[in-house]
Amino acid sequence: MSTLREKIVQRIYHQFEQWIGQNKLQFSCQRGCASCCTHNVTMTATEGELIHRFINENGRNSWFADKIQSIKNRQQLTETTNELAQKCLAAEESSTLPPEKKETVCPFLEDDSCQIYEVRPFSCRSFASVKKCRPGQAAELPQYYISATTAGQQLIEHVGQGEYWGNMHDVLLALCDIKENEGTAELLASQSVADQARSRLTKAQPLPGFLIGQDEYEKVSPFILAVFNDKIGEKNVEDILNGK
């Protein structure tokens, strides 16, 4: 059964897709286009739980265990998106280093097709380009879209505050200590694999404010308002996030 946090994250996914359609954004991305699909994707524990449930329900634990152990030397960020936002809003200098240029293809790709596409994290959902891109070539996107994706990441981190945040594969390995995921945990090379992943993670932080430039606010705010006004049961998401 999905938790309340998972339901909110899924509503954020949905409202982001609706917002893309409302803005009539046309991307060059299509099935088989996977140059942006690398192993250096960040996410929250809540998103990781959605992936684990998908794997458990489809009986792909052996395949999954092999995949999450296969990546070595993954990038470790020292600041979450909301920690970076806090510093930017306070005009403080960030200690986060830019991503390394060398990337490894995501192990969840097979024949350039994502095997966990239905439950891919928001970072993957927001990868896009208005022109066809190739390995080593930057995607091309309007600035307001980038601001919207940052807002989405901030909201999802706020939902998962206090829980794991970091590289996708580290989060997935760390979540193997949950009873529901013991089917995958039993297939890991050793418990130390999950312990090492856990040591590389940090904790998701609350939302300090959105990193939206004045020029982008008119375009981005409908997405945020749609999330806040979305309902889960009798309450809207904004009230739930505010603890009401």
Side-chain angles (χ1 to χ4, degrees), residues 183-225:
T184 297
E186 293 169 353
L187 297 166
L188 298 179
S190 69
Q191 178 59 43
S192 65
V193 174
D195 292 338
Q196 290 168 13
R198 200 171 293 111
S199 71
R200 290 190 288 265
L201 297 172
T202 185
K203 295 290 181 69
Q205 300 298 314
L207 177 72
F210 290 108
L211 288 177
I212 304 173
Q214 190 172 3
D215 293 342
E216 289 87 49
Y217 185 79
E218 185 178 349
K219 283 279 194 180
V220 178
S221 59
F223 163 52
I224 297 172
L225 290 174

Side-chain angles (χ1 to χ4, degrees), residues 76-97:
Q76 182 178 1
L77 298 180
T78 58
E79 292 175 346
T80 72
T81 307
N82 280 338
E83 285 176 324
L84 176 61
Q86 177 67 60
K87 289 189 174 182
C88 290
L89 293 170
E92 296 176 4
E93 188 174 344
S94 169
S95 60
T96 298
L97 297 174

Side-chain angles (χ1 to χ4, degrees), residues 44-86:
T44 63
T46 306
E47 294 180 283
E49 288 161 2
L50 287 168
I51 295 173
H52 267 284
R53 183 173 297 111
F54 175 80
I55 293 299
N56 294 337
E57 290 175 351
N58 287 278
R60 302 198 68 186
N61 303 84
S62 179
W63 172 87
F64 188 61
D66 287 342
K67 295 299 183 181
I68 59 178
Q69 295 179 91
S70 66
I71 293 296
K72 310 299 180 184
N73 302 317
R74 40 192 172 267
Q75 187 179 14
Q76 182 178 1
L77 298 180
T78 58
E79 292 175 346
T80 72
T81 307
N82 280 338
E83 285 176 324
L84 176 61
Q86 177 67 60

